[in-house]
Amino acid sequence: MAAGVTAWSFGAVAEAQDRAALLTTLMALEKESWQFVKDKNITGQQSYMADDGLQIFSDGTRFDKAGFLKFMPDLRLDSIAYDTAGEIKIWTPDVATLLYRVTYTSGVKDGKATTTKVASSSTYVRRNGKWWSVLYQETPAP
């Protein structure tokens, strides 16, 4: 029985390490995507968002990949602060959702900037060994 407990304990530790590693990987991708937006790096965003990806912002605005890439040159991201280190929900070995809070200030073209605080949910799918963003959704946070 002791061998079974040891094996279970080792498996639980390995799973926790894998979960932590995936959280780190996906949070790094998420932060990189925000930087792509800030830098207006359309090529970077193209390689981040899946072709069938969807983004839904806190004001209800929805973009598919083509629509968001078209909108990016007009979007101004002035600042961003991550309010949490993030959490992760692993659905399958190739599907995971990253949950975190973020506050950002943005505007469109030369329009007035607004500060938005949200709970973000970002679902990733691994295809051919690469993690792709397939759904990003914001919920206004107090």
Side-chain angles (χ1 to χ4, degrees):
M1 175 156 175
V5 171
T6 300
W8 177 84
S9 296
F10 179 74
V13 169
E15 183 178 318
Q17 289 172 338
D18 290 347
R19 178 178 288 282
L22 184 56
L23 172 60
T24 299
T25 296
L26 296 184
M27 197 66 204
L29 287 173
E30 196 74 10
K31 288 179 178 181
E32 184 177 46
S33 76
W34 282 95
Q35 194 62 47
F36 291 153
V37 172
K38 187 170 185 172
D39 296 342
K40 300 184 185 306
N41 181 344
I42 293 172
T43 302
Q45 192 69 15
Q46 282 176 319
S47 69
Y48 165 77
M49 192 174 174
D51 289 341
D52 57 347
L54 177 66
Q55 295 185 343
I56 304 169
F57 292 91
S58 64
D59 65 356
T61 304
R62 296 169 48 116
F63 290 102
D64 63 7
K65 182 176 183 175
F68 188 70
L69 295 175
K70 185 177 178 182
F71 177 64
M72 266 182 69
D74 293 336
L75 179 60
R76 197 179 73 248
L77 181 59
D78 297 333
S79 68
I80 183 163
Y82 304 94
D83 300 337
T84 62
E87 299 174 44
I88 194 163
K89 173 66 177 163
I90 301 172
W91 305 105
T92 73
D94 294 317
V95 179
T97 300
L98 178 65
L99 306 164
Y100 65 99
R101 291 181 178 268
V102 64
T103 301
Y104 61 91
T105 302
S106 65
V108 178
K109 294 187 179 181
D110 294 328
K112 182 181 176 193
T114 58
T115 299
T116 306
K117 185 173 186 171
V118 298
S120 295
S121 172
S122 196
T123 299
Y124 288 84
V125 173
R126 184 168 39 197
R127 297 176 177 155
N128 298 318
K130 181 182 183 333
W131 287 103
W132 292 93
S133 172
V134 294
L135 177 62
Y136 173 80
Q137 184 168 359
E138 297 178 342
T139 301

